[in-house]
Amino acid sequence: MPHTDHSEQTFRTSRRSLRREVPSTVGLLADERDFTAMRRYRTFTFDDHATYLRQIDGLLKSLASQGLHTTVALFDPEEYAEYCADSGLDPDTAESRGRFTARIPGSGAAIAYTGQPMDTLVPQLISTAVRRATWEYATTLLADLGECADCGQDIGRAAFDRASHLLLRLLEGAGTGTHHLVCSVPAADEQLLAVLRTESTELPERTEYPDNRQDGSDGSDVPDGALARLDSSRATEFVTVLAVGIALESTGGVVLRTTRGGDPDRLHGWRLQHGSLVPLTVGEVFSAYCTDADTGDPVSPESGVEYCAGFDLGPDDTGTHH
């Protein structure tokens, strides 16, 4: 009998250890509208969004206390209804919701739970969803452009190569420090925005761009030293949005803020013009940062900031379509 008890205890311990190897995914209804949409299902028993968020917070903390890796996924009621209709599932069951939630990280917005409070986690998740939607929209735009009637090159791929080259030049010119880049490009249906943060302790060298690009381009001409310190997915998003502006020859631009310890922050800017980034003057950079975008009224300049002209990014030596 003691031997049997010992075997049972060993079995339970092993099963608990194995449970920690299984990741968890928690679907989250981030706003009141989506929460209200799910209340039409009888088996969804919550009736107050604030209470629901507190319960989710407690669940996440409980999973973390067990040593489980947990991913929080943005639950979209419309996509859920479509999924159930396409799969022949009853949407008014916990099992169907669980099946849908399990597949979200493969195609939707999801982030790792690291103990962040709900008032931090929810904005992070929404921001991730916006970034993903922007990237998907920009990628579709590039893919739909087709080939150039004159040179036969894939316009989207050529624009991506050019954007990668420009990112290299921006980071090389920025030098050492912490760099915060923002690219803004107007498109037919929305304003595309991409943000990239990178740190460099030495001037970057050339290397290959991350292999996880979706456009199939060969990925040359991106800095090695900087890439070791930036999120490859955000770099891809930034280059994709910039590529849209290049391919469509639209307006828009890039701003760069560089922070170095003990020195004032340096602000630079460029505008998109005929598929190239043209440096802004000091006055144009100052005006861009010190004018209210909605009212046009002047805004006081930041203290501890140096407004600088954009630096020359050099000629386009990528040999790609223009």
Side-chain angles (χ1 to χ4, degrees):
M1 190 69 175
H3 175 74
T4 302
D5 291 343
H6 176 72
S7 298
E8 285 292 331
Q9 183 178 2
T10 302
F11 177 76
R12 288 194 297 268
T13 301
S14 298
R15 188 167 56 185
R16 283 195 298 269
S17 297
L18 185 60
R19 177 70 182 92
R20 288 195 290 270
E21 302 288 334
V22 181
S24 298
T25 303
V26 175
L28 176 65
L29 296 161
D31 60 36
E32 287 275 3
R33 185 184 66 177
D34 287 347
F35 178 82
T36 300
M38 290 301 294
R39 290 192 61 199
R40 70 177 182 267
Y41 300 118
R42 178 184 56 81
T43 57
F44 185 78
T45 58
F46 294 95
D47 56 12
D48 177 74
H49 190 234
T51 301
Y52 163 81
L53 290 178
R54 287 196 296 270
Q55 292 292 333
I56 290 287
D57 186 46
L59 173 62
L60 292 173
K61 290 177 179 177
S62 175
L63 293 171
S65 70
Q66 300 172 51
L68 301 178
H69 173 77
T70 303
T71 298
V72 182
L74 187 66
F75 196 103
D76 187 315
E78 292 184 4
E79 292 183 0
Y80 172 64
E82 292 174 2
Y83 166 76
C84 290
D86 293 342
S87 305
L89 298 174
D90 179 2
D92 200 359
T93 68
E95 181 182 1
S96 295
R97 290 193 291 273
R99 287 189 179 188
F100 176 74
T101 298
R103 65 189 294 276
I104 297 175
S107 59
I111 60 175
Y113 176 68
T114 58
Q116 60 269 55
M118 293 304 292
D119 59 0
T120 298
L121 188 147
V122 170
Q124 286 179 343
L125 191 57
I126 293 174
S127 175
T128 299
V130 171
R131 284 173 42 222
R132 185 178 184 92
T134 298
W135 174 79
E136 290 177 348
Y137 178 73
T139 300
T140 300
L141 281 178
L142 292 176
D144 288 346
L145 292 175
E147 297 180 349
C148 175
D150 295 327
C151 68
Q153 281 192 302
D154 185 292
I155 297 173
R157 178 177 297 184
F160 199 105
D161 288 342
R162 173 61 176 157
S164 300
H165 173 80
L166 289 171
L167 176 59
L168 166 72
R169 294 303 187 196
L170 285 164
L171 294 178
E172 283 183 339
T176 60
T178 299
H179 311 301
H180 186 264
L181 299 101
V182 179
C183 179
S184 178
V185 172
D189 299 322
E190 59 183 289
Q191 185 80 13
L192 302 181
L193 188 71
V195 179
L196 180 63
R197 183 180 183 276
T198 176
E199 296 182 16
S200 180
T201 55
E202 57 185 12
L203 290 177
E205 299 175 359
R206 294 173 188 255
T207 189
E208 289 190 354
Y209 198 82
D211 293 334
N212 63 343
R213 293 207 315 227
Q214 303 296 313
D215 72 333
S217 51
D218 61 8
S220 58
D221 280 354
V222 176
D224 181 65
L227 277 179
R229 297 172 179 83
L230 56 78
D231 185 317
S232 61
S233 64
R234 286 182 179 260
T236 302
E237 293 161 9
F238 184 91
V239 172
T240 303
V241 169
L242 179 56
V244 168
I246 293 171
L248 299 181
E249 295 191 352
S250 66
T251 57
V254 171
V255 293
L256 164 67
R257 184 178 191 129
T258 296
T259 301
R260 299 187 184 97
D263 296 329
D265 285 5
R266 296 173 61 87
L267 299 177
H268 302 268
W270 296 260
R271 66 174 174 271
L272 271 167
Q273 182 174 305
H274 303 303
S276 296
L277 285 178
V278 178
L280 297 179
T281 65
V282 174
E284 288 172 327
V285 173
F286 183 88
S287 177
Y289 274 94
C290 299
T291 303
D292 188 290
D294 295 325
T295 66
D297 295 335
V299 177
S300 299
E302 293 184 60
S303 60
V305 170
E306 184 178 351
Y307 298 89
C308 309
F311 44 83
D312 182 38
L313 300 177
D316 177 6
D317 55 7
T318 58
T320 58
H321 159 85
H322 288 72

